[in-house]
Amino acid sequence: MKIYNTLSKQKEEFIPLYDNYVTMYVCGPTVYDYFHIGNARSFIMGDMLRRYLEYKGYKVKYAMNLTDVDDKIINKANDEKTSTDTIAQKYIDVFFDDLAKLKVKPADVYPKATEHMNDMIELVKDLEEKGTAYNVNGNVFYDVSKFKDYGKLSGKKIDELESGSRVEVNDQKRNPLDFALWKKAKDGEPFWESPWGKGRPGWHLECSAMSMKHLGKTIDIHAGGNDLIFPHHENEIAQSEACCTDQFVRYWVHFGFLNFKEEKMSKSLGNFFTAREILKNHSAEAIRLLFAQTHYHAPLNFSKELLEASEKGLEKLNNLIDSIVEIKNSGKLEEDSNKFSFSEFYLEFEQAMDDDLNTPRAVAVIFDFIKHVNKLLTEYPSSKNLIHSIEIFLNKTTDDVLGICNVKENEKNNAASLEPNLIEILIGIRADAKKNKNFELADKIRNDLAEIGIILKDSKDGTTYTRKNI
RNA sequence: GGCGGCGUGGCCAAGCGGUCUAAGGCGAAGGUCUGCAAAACCUUUAUUCAUCGGUUCGAAUCCGAUCGCCGCCUCCA
């Protein structure tokens, strides 16, 4: 498989450090608020990458940090007259809750900054000993001039950055680009004891320390939004490679922004929808399909209309699943000797995904597949092998990798309870009504069922139904 | 000012030197089926890829210029 590596600015063949074991780190949330649908794009695309690696047979160790010490958390705690811990815990719960709703597979570890103080302090001590960090009255800064590769990820040059007007002025720094590794505590702020006095870590530090601790000094994939390339990821490289390793990350993966009305969706611009808000009216599957329909690297212009279009597209998939479930429940299935391997669809799906996770192409393969099997289904309406092969294909691709459908769940919903039997009875009554040309009654039954989300469909072989969320 | 990205049908979006008179989704139009619907299926919907030049036997794809949009350089996924 090929992956675009921000470091080399080109697609590279992905070869993990150790055989079939992949280490992957995705920058997680600062837990001070609900995350928005733009943040969700990173979480979901990271999830799809991880799922596809697993599909390919890799064993993936996946870590996502929780930033629970930060200015924004402190401010929020002050505003709400509560502790930073309370704020952090509240939004950690929210985060997990929303991620689960978005069908994002849980990471193997969710390291928290507050639980890795010693690791971070050790890292800073090490940098200080090596002369790459300096202490000014309890503030410890990283000396950018000591790291010759500084700028290798973002393509920025130290002198060019210096001449830029936006670099913060700080008397204590030797160089305006130097960044804080350890910040001296101000009154009323949470703090930890350290060799430099009471304070807290700078914001790049945790990712370096926790990535190396949980995944090893050199990891395979580190991913995050485009806006993290500089300075965050650049600084992570500087910290980690100056202290502990020749290569911190082998493949840097960055996700394009989610825009709203041609502008980056962000908290500071205020033009955002929280994921939670969107999930009230739209399914996780539709959100995931929408994201999959654009390449992860490109910007995605978000709108509710687009989401609705994806929702409609999903219906094609769901209708297929419904008809499969319906056929299975009907008891009409027969053993047969037909073989349906769908190997060309698997191949095309894999070729698309192997090409830098080209999910839009993969989705196109899925829709081609749907069209193809719908035809087969009319040709072989009772083939057990057909149904079985379709289910396996959908499970592997649309469910396991893309996370946009769930065959098993649909079956469960359909099979549960007395409901199917009751619906069959109503269908029977309606069939009699139709026979007697009592269309008024027939339509009433259909309309009333539609109101509770049961959609009847007539065909020459009888009436079937599907369920729709209302 | 420095660095990076983008401009493909009504909308979204793949394609990145020949199979492109350009995949797939949404939308629209017609048809098959049906008491009517729904679903499904079949047609139709870009001789053209921001514009202008160039390279090449051949360009949406490479190069240059122009126009337009966006992002990073400050917290941000």
Side-chain angles (χ1 to χ4, degrees):
Chain A
M1 145 176 227
K2 286 198 161 68
I3 295 184
Y4 181 89
N5 190 346
T6 309
L7 196 56
S8 64
K9 295 187 176 48
Q10 56 192 27
K11 280 188 208 172
E12 291 177 24
E13 191 57 41
F14 176 69
I15 302 162
L17 191 56
Y18 300 107
D19 200 27
N20 75 332
Y21 174 69
V22 176
T23 44
M24 182 169 172
Y25 186 103
V26 177
C27 282
T30 299
V31 283
Y32 74 105
D33 204 348
Y34 297 94
F35 65 85
H36 61 68
I37 194 75
N39 303 320
R41 168 134 104 142
S42 291
F43 303 144
I44 287 175
M45 295 320 289
D47 182 53
M48 284 189 196
L49 210 207
R50 180 253 188 107
R51 285 160 173 258
Y52 186 62
L53 290 168
E54 289 175 346
Y55 170 98
K56 297 202 48 105
Y58 292 113
K59 169 94 187 73
V60 180
K61 181 155 185 194
Y62 191 89
M64 181 176 275
N65 63 296
L66 299 171
T67 300
D68 58 351
V69 226
D70 170 270
D71 285 349
K72 290 190 287 282
I73 299 175
I74 294 171
N75 292 340
K76 186 113 177 181
N78 288 341
D79 288 350
E80 298 191 3
K81 306 213 169 6
T82 179
S83 71
T84 51
D85 288 349
T86 310
I87 294 294
Q89 193 52 53
K90 173 178 173 189
Y91 290 104
I92 285 172
D93 293 344
V94 163
F95 173 71
F96 284 137
D97 213 46
D98 289 352
L99 268 202
K101 285 192 197 124
L102 289 169
K103 308 258 169 144
V104 171
K105 276 182 84 170
D108 297 294
V109 261
Y110 287 102
K112 291 181 193 168
T114 51
E115 290 171 4
H116 292 76
M117 282 302 154
N118 284 338
D119 302 287
M120 288 191 261
I121 289 169
E122 286 306 314
L123 209 163
V124 177
K125 267 163 72 180
D126 195 80
L127 288 172
E128 197 179 23
E129 277 162 28
K130 290 188 165 108
T132 314
Y134 56 94
N135 173 9
V136 184
N137 297 324
N139 283 303
V140 183
F141 296 101
Y142 185 99
D143 186 343
V144 157
S145 69
K146 294 279 164 56
F147 186 64
K148 64 176 184 347
D149 281 338
Y150 195 78
K152 72 175 174 180
L153 180 70
S154 57
K156 297 185 189 303
K157 307 261 187 314
I158 292 180
D159 43 344
E160 283 167 1
L161 283 164
E162 282 171 11
S163 62
S165 56
R166 303 172 81 178
V167 177
E168 176 195 354
V169 182
N170 183 328
D171 298 344
Q172 297 184 314
K173 291 181 185 177
R174 290 181 192 166
N175 181 316
L177 289 175
D178 292 352
F179 56 91
L181 293 166
W182 190 261
K183 295 163 129 173
K184 185 178 182 170
K186 298 192 190 104
D187 279 347
E189 286 183 352
F191 62 83
W192 286 261
E193 296 292 346
S194 82
W196 316 280
K198 291 172 175 157
R200 59 193 166 96
W203 74 293
H204 314 295
L205 194 57
E206 58 174 288
C207 284
S208 286
M210 303 194 298
S211 172
M212 289 195 282
K213 172 160 187 181
H214 292 279
L215 301 178
K217 299 214 157 151
T218 297
I219 70 164
D220 290 309
I221 298 172
H222 189 125
N226 254 175
D227 47 2
L228 296 181
I229 295 174
F230 190 89
H232 190 238
H233 290 159
E234 194 68 73
N235 290 350
E236 283 182 41
I237 292 175
Q239 291 165 351
S240 310
E241 297 190 357
C243 95
C244 321
T245 175
D246 288 340
Q247 190 174 29
F248 175 50
V249 171
R250 305 177 68 239
Y251 299 89
W252 283 97
V253 173
H254 290 98
F255 306 118
F257 295 130
L258 188 92
N259 293 162
F260 185 65
K261 297 191 173 151
E262 310 297 327
E263 254 183 346
K264 174 183 171 185
M265 184 181 284
S266 73
K267 286 272 165 62
S268 41
L269 287 170
N271 60 345
F272 63 90
F273 297 103
T274 62
R276 180 159 285 209
E277 196 177 343
I278 298 293
L279 279 164
K280 273 185 199 153
N281 297 310
H282 302 277
S283 66
E285 287 81 359
I287 295 169
R288 297 182 67 114
L289 209 218
L290 175 65
F291 289 175
Q293 279 177 308
T294 297
H295 186 83
Y296 76 82
H297 213 258
L300 192 166
N301 222 340
F302 180 85
S303 74
K304 298 212 170 155
E305 289 71 30
L306 240 30
L307 229 196
E308 273 152 26
S310 293
E311 201 103 49
K312 292 299 291 272
L314 252 195
E315 277 181 29
K316 275 203 161 82
L317 216 204
N318 289 140
N319 286 333
L320 205 216
I321 294 169
D322 286 341
S323 45
I324 288 173
V325 172
E326 165 65 29
I327 289 170
K328 287 175 78 173
N329 289 347
S330 72
K332 284 186 290 204
L333 277 191
E334 287 164 14
E335 299 288 345
D336 62 326
S337 56
N338 295 303
K339 291 272 182 293
F340 304 91
S341 71
F342 301 132
S343 52
E344 70 277 26
F345 290 100
Y346 282 106
L347 185 69
E348 281 180 39
F349 178 80
E350 287 165 24
Q351 278 174 347
M353 295 296 276
D354 280 344
D355 183 14
D356 195 23
L357 207 75
N358 194 327
T359 51
R361 235 165 81 202
V363 167
V365 174
I366 300 299
F367 282 107
D368 285 340
F369 173 82
I370 293 171
K371 188 173 264 194
H372 179 72
V373 300
N374 270 324
K375 275 186 242 177
L376 281 180
L377 243 18
T378 57
E379 210 175 319
Y380 305 95
S382 56
S383 163
K384 203 168 184 175
N385 285 342
L386 211 211
I387 296 293
H388 188 62
S389 303
I390 294 173
E391 282 188 311
I392 291 174
F393 184 87
L394 293 179
N395 272 146
K396 284 190 169 176
T397 57
T398 58
D399 189 7
D400 289 350
V401 176
L402 300 174
I404 56 173
C405 84
N406 192 326
V407 180
K408 293 168 220 117
E409 207 170 272
N410 269 294
E411 274 182 42
K412 222 189 306 159
N413 289 345
N414 251 291
S417 85
L418 275 177
E419 218 181 273
N421 299 327
L422 295 174
I423 293 167
E424 288 302 334
I425 291 168
L426 285 167
I427 287 173
I429 294 171
R430 181 163 167 273
D432 290 342
K434 277 168 65 182
K435 214 173 283 173
N436 300 327
K437 306 269 181 213
N438 185 351
F439 297 122
E440 205 179 319
L441 177 61
D443 288 348
K444 179 173 167 48
I445 291 172
R446 184 172 62 194
N447 293 339
D448 288 355
L449 285 173
E451 271 178 38
I452 58 167
I454 309 292
I455 311 299
L456 297 188
K457 302 173 187 181
D458 293 336
S459 76
K460 55 178 177 296
D461 302 324
T463 300
T464 62
Y465 67 93
T466 57
R467 207 169 299 263
K468 192 177 178 170
N469 291 331
I470 44 171

